[in-house]
Amino acid sequence: MAAGLTRRSCVGADVFDAGFAAFVTAAAALVLAPGPDTVFVLSAGAAGGQRAGALAALGVSSGVLVHTALVAVGVAALLATSPVAFAALKLCGGAYLCWLGARTLAGTGSLGSEGDVSRPFAAGFVTNVLNPKVAVFFLAFLPQFVDGTGTTTVPVLGATYATLTAVYLGGVGATAGRARSLLEDHAGVLRAASGVALVALGGSVLVAAVA
C-alpha cells in the first residue's frame, strides 16, 4: 500500500511540475506582450525616475493579486456576465488614466519623483485594479492550469503571475527611469510624452467602454 501511495505521489508531482511549467511559460509570454500596464510603467519611469518606475511596477503586480482574489471568490465571474458593471469599471479606469496624464502634463508630479514612494505605487495599483479586462482574462486563464490535487491553486498561480509581472515591469520602469536621468536636460519633453501617452491610453479605454 505504501508503494502505491508513493507511486501516486510521484505521478501527482509530475503532473504538477508539467502543469506549472506550462503555466509559467504561458504567463511569461503574456507578461512580455506590450499592453496598458507596460505603457503606464514606462510613463511613470520617464516622468519620475527609476524609483518611480519600479514602484509603479510593484503597484501593478499588487493589483494582479486583487484580480486573483476576485477570481477565487467569484467576483470576476460577475463582471464577465454584467455588461453594466464591466463598462462602469472601464469608464473609471479610463478617467483615472486621463486624470493622471493631465496631472503629468501640468507638471504636478502625480506619478511621483525619485523620493516619492506612495504615488507611483498607488497609481499602478489603481490602474490595474480598475481594468476589468484583467479580471475577465484571469477568470478565463487561471482555472485552465488548476490541477485536481489542490497543489496548483488559483492563489498560487496568481502569485506567480504577479511575481513575473513585478520582475519584468520593474526592469521596464527602471530602464525608463535611467533614460530620464541620462536625458535630464530634456526632462520636460519626457514628462510631456508621458502625459500624452497616459491621456491617449485613458482615451482609448473610454472610447472602448462607450462603443
Side-chain angles (χ1 to χ4, degrees):
M1 183 174 179
L5 289 174
T6 301
R7 283 195 297 273
R8 284 194 293 272
S9 298
C10 290
V11 171
D14 290 341
V15 172
F16 168 74
D17 291 341
F20 188 71
F23 169 77
V24 171
T25 300
L30 291 167
V31 167
L32 291 173
D37 288 337
T38 306
V39 174
F40 172 77
V41 172
L42 277 171
S43 298
Q50 288 179 285
R51 184 179 178 85
L55 287 168
L58 288 177
V60 169
S61 58
S62 296
V64 167
L65 296 178
V66 173
H67 288 295
T68 300
L70 294 179
V71 171
V73 301
V75 175
L78 175 63
L79 279 176
T81 57
S82 175
V84 174
F86 187 88
L89 200 57
K90 285 191 72 173
L91 286 171
C92 290
Y96 182 68
L97 285 169
C98 288
W99 178 78
L100 283 178
R103 297 267 298 192
T104 302
L105 287 171
T108 55
S110 65
L111 288 180
S113 60
E114 289 287 353
D116 189 344
V117 174
S118 62
R119 287 181 177 177
F121 178 88
F125 178 80
V126 173
T127 298
N128 186 269
V129 169
L130 289 181
N131 186 353
K133 287 188 176 180
V134 178
V136 175
F137 164 72
F138 269 36
L139 178 64
F141 181 65
L142 296 185
Q144 306 303 318
F145 297 91
V146 174
D147 62 23
T149 66
T151 304
T152 308
T153 62
V154 167
V156 169
L157 297 174
T160 302
Y161 197 99
T163 300
L164 293 172
T165 299
V167 171
Y168 172 65
L169 290 184
V172 169
T175 300
R178 177 61 177 165
R180 177 185 184 277
S181 64
L182 291 175
L183 300 172
E184 195 65 44
D185 292 340
H186 304 285
V189 175
L190 288 175
R191 175 177 287 278
S194 299
V196 169
L198 288 172
V199 171
L201 180 59
S204 67
V205 172
L206 291 175
V207 169
V210 299

